[in-house]
């Protein structure tokens, strides 16, 4: 059970109502946003921040989801992992690849993706080396490398909020599992 109340859209001032609803699942309020809505201005800033990571990281959808799933698994936040498995599937990441991420098995991935995954893990662990950074820059350029670092760190932060507030999966959802096959 969450450590804070989930705030419904109809309990918020009009400028915040839409912020508890998933942008990917129109009409569906998600618990992480409903929990953070206990502080509406923080929710607004969080959604703006995450939206900028989503839209302007310089990564492809597939690369972005590899980074997010890597961060979620690295810190063991099932809620975040669960939310992004279907998004990853829509970004052409197979269930076998998702399961490989959970095992830290990079074999199924292309060399650029292996570097991005290693980089995301290093960002989450606080252990980025010059050679790892340079390898990612070589594959995706500086702008997207900054995007990868920021996405990994941003979802690390979101995962810590989810953990601190003990956010539950939405009613009716069963955890997809670390291996969704």
């Amino acid at each position: 059970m969450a450590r804070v109340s989930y705030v419904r859209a109809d309990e918020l001032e009009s400028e915040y109502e839409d912020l508890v609803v998933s942008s990917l699942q129109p009409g569906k309020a998600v618990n992480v946003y409903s929990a953070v809505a206990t502080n509406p201005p923080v929710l607004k800033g969080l959604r703006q921040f995450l939206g900028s990571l989503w839209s302007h990281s310089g990564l492809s959808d597939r690369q972005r989801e590899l980074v997010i799933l890597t961060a979620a698994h690295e810190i063991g936040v099932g809620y975040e992992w669960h939310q992004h498995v279907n998004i990853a599937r829509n970004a052409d990441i197979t269930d076998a690849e998702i399961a490989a991420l959970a095992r830290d098995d990079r074999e199924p991935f292309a060399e650029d993706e292996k570097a991005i995954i290693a980089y995301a893990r290093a960002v989450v662990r606080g252990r980025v080396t010059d050679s790892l950074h340079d390898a990612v820059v070589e594959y995706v350029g500086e702008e997207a490398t900054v995007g990868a670092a920021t996405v990994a760190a941003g979802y690390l932060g979101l995962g810590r909020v989810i953990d601190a507030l003990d956010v539950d999966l939405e009613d009716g959802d069963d955890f997809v599992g670390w291996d969704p096959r």
Side-chain angles (χ1 to χ4, degrees), residues 86-160:
N86 281 331
I87 299 167
R89 288 170 172 155
N90 290 334
D92 295 324
I93 300 173
T94 67
D95 283 353
E97 290 170 322
I98 293 167
L101 284 174
R103 294 188 312 273
D104 194 20
D105 173 9
R106 298 181 197 144
E107 187 59 34
F109 301 98
E111 292 304 312
D112 63 324
E113 293 175 339
K114 289 178 184 177
I116 289 168
I117 293 164
Y119 189 72
R121 286 196 191 283
V123 169
V124 170
R125 293 176 179 174
R127 296 190 179 119
V128 175
T129 64
D130 289 344
S131 61
L132 185 53
H133 178 85
D134 293 345
V136 175
V137 169
E138 182 179 318
Y139 285 116
V140 298
E142 284 188 334
E143 182 178 339
T145 300
V146 169
T150 310
V151 169
Y155 279 84
L156 165 63
L158 179 61
R160 295 293 188 224

Side-chain angles (χ1 to χ4, degrees), residues 4-18:
V4 297
S5 300
Y6 294 125
V7 178
R8 295 185 326 266
D10 64 2
E11 297 174 308
L12 294 167
E13 293 179 24
S14 60
E15 72 175 293
Y16 301 112
E17 286 177 347
D18 292 341

Side-chain angles (χ1 to χ4, degrees), residues 18-176:
D18 292 341
L19 297 178
V20 297
V21 176
S22 168
S23 56
L24 299 175
Q25 303 170 73
K28 181 178 180 180
V30 292
N31 287 348
V32 65
Y33 298 147
S34 295
V36 177
T38 301
N39 186 329
V42 169
L43 175 60
K44 184 176 183 176
L46 178 66
R47 292 293 306 265
Q48 289 171 336
F49 174 65
L50 293 174
S52 70
L53 296 180
W54 191 269
S55 302
H56 304 293
S57 68
L59 300 170
S60 69
D61 291 348
R62 180 179 167 88
Q63 291 167 333
R64 182 195 64 237
E65 290 308 312
L66 290 173
V67 170
I68 293 170
L69 286 175
T70 297
H73 185 267
E74 187 65 26
I75 60 175
V77 177
Y79 181 93
E80 193 167 282
W81 177 269
H82 179 83
Q83 292 294 335
H84 281 271
V85 163
N86 281 331
I87 299 167
R89 288 170 172 155
N90 290 334
D92 295 324
I93 300 173
T94 67
D95 283 353
E97 290 170 322
I98 293 167
L101 284 174
R103 294 188 312 273
D104 194 20
D105 173 9
R106 298 181 197 144
E107 187 59 34
F109 301 98
E111 292 304 312
D112 63 324
E113 293 175 339
K114 289 178 184 177
I116 289 168
I117 293 164
Y119 189 72
R121 286 196 191 283
V123 169
V124 170
R125 293 176 179 174
R127 296 190 179 119
V128 175
T129 64
D130 289 344
S131 61
L132 185 53
H133 178 85
D134 293 345
V136 175
V137 169
E138 182 179 318
Y139 285 116
V140 298
E142 284 188 334
E143 182 178 339
T145 300
V146 169
T150 310
V151 169
Y155 279 84
L156 165 63
L158 179 61
R160 295 293 188 224
V161 170
I162 291 166
D163 181 63
L165 301 180
D166 199 18
V167 175
D168 307 297
L169 291 177
E170 285 69 30
D171 287 342
D173 281 2
D174 292 320
F175 180 57
V176 68

